[in-house]
Amino acid sequence: MSEQTDVPVTRRTPAHEGTLTALLETAVRDHPDAVAVRERRRRVDYRELDGVSNCVATALTGPGPLAGRRVGVWLNKSVEAVAALHAVLRCGAAYVPIDPTAPPRRAAAVLADSGASWLITTPERARSLRHHAPRAADGLAVLSVGADDTASPATGADATWEEALTRYADAPPVRASVAPDDIAYLLYTSGSTGTPKGVVLTHAAARAFVDWAADEFALTSGDVLASHAPFHFDLSVLDLFGAAACAGSVALVPESAQGLGRALARFAVEQEVSVWYSVPTALRRMVEAPGGELAGARLRVVAFAGEEYPTRHLRALHGALPTGTALYNLYGPTETNVCTFHRLGPDDLAEDAPPAPPIGRPCPYATVFLRGPDGAALPETGEQAGELCVAGPSVMRGYWNDTQKTAAAFTEHAGRRYHRTGDLVRRRADGLLVYVGREDTMVKVKGHRVELGEIEAVLDGRGDVAEAVCVIIRDPEGGDRLAAFVTAAPGTAPDPRELRRHCRDFLPGYMVPEHVEVVPALDYTSTGKIDRRSLALRVPAGR
């Protein structure tokens, strides 16, 4: 395997210009021996990644074309998972990544809603799906990845990874016709009705962000991008496809290390990571962990998104990083990709700086305006807060199978269609945008968007619960937590521990309330609304 050289990649026109598929095609053609994926000590170059993904794509298209279809990918982070995503895209299909920690019922809800034709997963997860949600498994083809890699009724598999690599090693390239406006992936976020909602994003939407980031961060074939975010989280798009855009390398952070600061710092040093992108919580753990040494790292760009990063902790990060490392605050909900950015300067880290950095200015491909309470655009002068609305190629097409929710998520302004983010933002005198908060019950927990109503709907579904309310416990130091309060149905006595277990059966771990309390009655404001603020004050400190 040849050494990578730290030089910019020459951009030639591939067969599918403007698509994510084109990024891998170009990297394979121009840098076949460059390391594409790093998984612990494992190294896979672009030639091998292309070959494996083609074998899998051939297996997926054996029963018939997949163009325009959806394929679920329910795998832990691995070389196989990366190859699976590329395989789906080269089939002309859209990948639907499922949280590896998701319980079978939630995975089933995502698969059913997306109408997935195939599921790429482990034998254990396939069996679990068939046991807990047999209706969702009916008619779903399964490609099995794992130790007992056999296609049999016991595993519910229709094809296996090993079989694909062996049988189709010499198969001609699978290159379905892919256009920029085709759907590339569906990312499922929390929904207020208790059902996850699928955000539909096209190749063009992803490329708008990835191409900008490749230029802004001056990515080269010598760069190593850390992949901290799971693949069902939108932050992963930069890691996976930013690396392909520059024929660089993506280094997969092991799931076992994602919450351990010292292990993350060691990972960054040992894997020679040059570009890091994650939620602030991960970076804070790296800095604060005993023995978490970053000064010797190769980091030259560190970007964060998903949560506010308190300035005093940013100062600590800045002091721990190698001299000259560029710090970026990136902002954007899943529906818009990243749409604003701010490169931090000395003023942002000064003692008299605001408590958190601004979210900055719109990316070159994004147009924004602030929407007032009456729906009209706020003037661009003045510091009144308004709902941030975003237009441009990076914005989602809509919510999958939900025209009503899609219509409500957009507004017209100056003849253009803008996505209503639900985030309140104000414009500073210098023109920089500052995040203020949310308009609704959507909150951020560990970087994930969480609709409190979805948790409440899960609890309300139990026969022993009369009413449920979920609140967020704000922590100025970061690490916000969820708590739930329920009242008992007549003649019942719900157990808080059982209620948490019930949540774990239907929700990913980050959405399970840390504190569940059964109360005689909920708190209400003078106007008759549930008093979430009062309920939050009931939670004991540290609980």
Side-chain angles (χ1 to χ4, degrees), residues 365-516:
Y365 50 79
T367 304
V368 307
F369 81 93
L370 303 189
R371 187 175 187 267
D374 60 355
L378 297 177
E380 294 193 6
T381 57
E383 297 195 12
Q384 182 181 353
E387 181 186 15
L388 183 66
C389 300
V390 184
S394 72
V395 176
M396 70 169 181
R397 180 177 293 179
Y399 295 112
W400 184 256
N401 278 341
D402 199 327
T403 55
Q404 185 175 1
K405 191 167 289 183
T406 296
F410 288 90
T411 187
E412 293 290 326
H413 172 66
R416 295 190 68 183
R417 182 173 178 257
Y418 284 74
H419 170 64
R420 298 181 57 186
T421 65
D423 287 339
L424 293 176
V425 168
R426 66 177 177 85
R427 185 179 281 107
R428 295 194 327 196
D430 60 5
L432 297 181
L433 299 172
V434 176
Y435 178 80
V436 176
R438 287 288 302 177
E439 278 196 324
D440 50 25
T441 57
M442 183 75 74
V443 298
K444 285 287 185 75
V445 178
K446 300 177 182 177
H448 297 272
R449 293 171 60 203
V450 172
E451 175 65 64
L452 298 179
E454 181 173 2
I455 304 171
E456 293 166 356
V458 167
L459 289 168
D460 283 333
R462 286 179 56 95
D464 55 357
V465 172
E467 192 172 13
V469 174
C470 190
V471 300
I472 189 165
I473 312 303
R474 297 292 182 186
D475 183 350
E477 298 298 308
D480 293 342
R481 296 169 292 131
L482 292 169
F485 295 86
V486 305
T487 58
T492 68
D495 181 350
R497 290 172 298 181
E498 177 57 34
L499 294 176
R500 290 192 78 242
R501 279 195 291 270
H502 177 74
C503 287
R504 284 196 292 269
D505 285 341
F506 290 89
L507 300 169
Y510 62 85
M511 290 180 68
V512 176
E514 294 184 15
H515 176 83
V516 177

Side-chain angles (χ1 to χ4, degrees), residues 98-471:
I98 300 173
D99 184 351
T101 68
R105 290 184 179 89
R106 185 176 178 86
V110 168
L111 292 167
D113 185 74
S114 66
S117 302
W118 278 89
L119 172 63
I120 305 175
T121 191
T122 63
E124 296 79 11
R125 288 192 177 108
R127 284 192 292 266
S128 179
L129 185 69
R130 296 180 74 86
H131 175 73
H132 292 283
R135 187 175 299 178
D138 284 346
L140 180 69
V142 175
L143 191 153
S144 172
V145 185
D148 55 343
D149 209 356
T150 57
S152 70
T155 62
D158 298 274
T160 73
W161 193 268
E162 286 302 321
E163 177 188 49
L165 298 192
T166 302
R167 179 176 295 184
Y168 304 117
D170 298 320
V174 174
R175 289 199 177 96
S177 177
V178 183
D181 288 337
D182 290 341
I183 302 172
Y185 49 88
L186 270 63
L187 298 183
Y188 276 79
T189 64
S190 182
S192 59
T193 62
T195 303
K197 57 185 180 183
V199 180
V200 180
L201 292 154
T202 64
H203 286 263
R207 283 293 300 266
F209 167 50
V210 170
D211 291 348
W212 167 80
D215 291 335
E216 177 67 26
F217 301 155
L219 298 181
T220 74
S221 59
D223 275 311
V224 178
L225 287 74
S227 176
H228 180 270
F231 296 151
H232 67 281
F233 195 7
D234 59 340
L235 271 68
S236 66
V237 172
L238 173 60
D239 312 332
L240 290 172
F241 301 107
C246 67
S249 178
V250 59
L252 306 178
V253 177
E255 271 104 346
S256 60
Q258 287 180 355
L260 305 175
R262 185 175 183 179
L264 290 177
R266 187 184 304 119
F267 174 89
V269 173
E270 292 177 352
Q271 294 291 335
E272 300 181 300
V273 173
S274 57
V275 180
W276 182 281
Y277 183 35
S278 74
V279 293
T281 301
L283 288 164
R284 283 187 54 189
R285 286 173 175 158
M286 293 167 72
V287 173
E288 296 168 2
E293 182 60 58
L294 287 175
R298 190 184 161 215
L299 291 165
R300 64 177 189 82
V301 174
V302 171
F304 52 89
E307 302 169 317
E308 283 197 342
Y309 206 145
T311 300
R312 70 188 193 87
H313 293 297
L314 275 170
R315 293 192 197 100
L317 173 64
H318 182 258
L321 292 170
T323 302
T325 302
L327 286 174
Y328 282 85
N329 185 15
L330 305 184
Y331 162 86
T334 302
E335 289 86 346
T336 69
N337 287 290
V338 168
C339 56
T340 74
F341 75 104
H342 179 64
R343 179 170 179 172
L344 276 64
D347 290 346
D348 299 299
L349 302 170
E351 290 297 329
D352 60 349
I359 60 174
R361 303 181 187 279
C363 296
Y365 50 79
T367 304
V368 307
F369 81 93
L370 303 189
R371 187 175 187 267
D374 60 355
L378 297 177
E380 294 193 6
T381 57
E383 297 195 12
Q384 182 181 353
E387 181 186 15
L388 183 66
C389 300
V390 184
S394 72
V395 176
M396 70 169 181
R397 180 177 293 179
Y399 295 112
W400 184 256
N401 278 341
D402 199 327
T403 55
Q404 185 175 1
K405 191 167 289 183
T406 296
F410 288 90
T411 187
E412 293 290 326
H413 172 66
R416 295 190 68 183
R417 182 173 178 257
Y418 284 74
H419 170 64
R420 298 181 57 186
T421 65
D423 287 339
L424 293 176
V425 168
R426 66 177 177 85
R427 185 179 281 107
R428 295 194 327 196
D430 60 5
L432 297 181
L433 299 172
V434 176
Y435 178 80
V436 176
R438 287 288 302 177
E439 278 196 324
D440 50 25
T441 57
M442 183 75 74
V443 298
K444 285 287 185 75
V445 178
K446 300 177 182 177
H448 297 272
R449 293 171 60 203
V450 172
E451 175 65 64
L452 298 179
E454 181 173 2
I455 304 171
E456 293 166 356
V458 167
L459 289 168
D460 283 333
R462 286 179 56 95
D464 55 357
V465 172
E467 192 172 13
V469 174
C470 190
V471 300

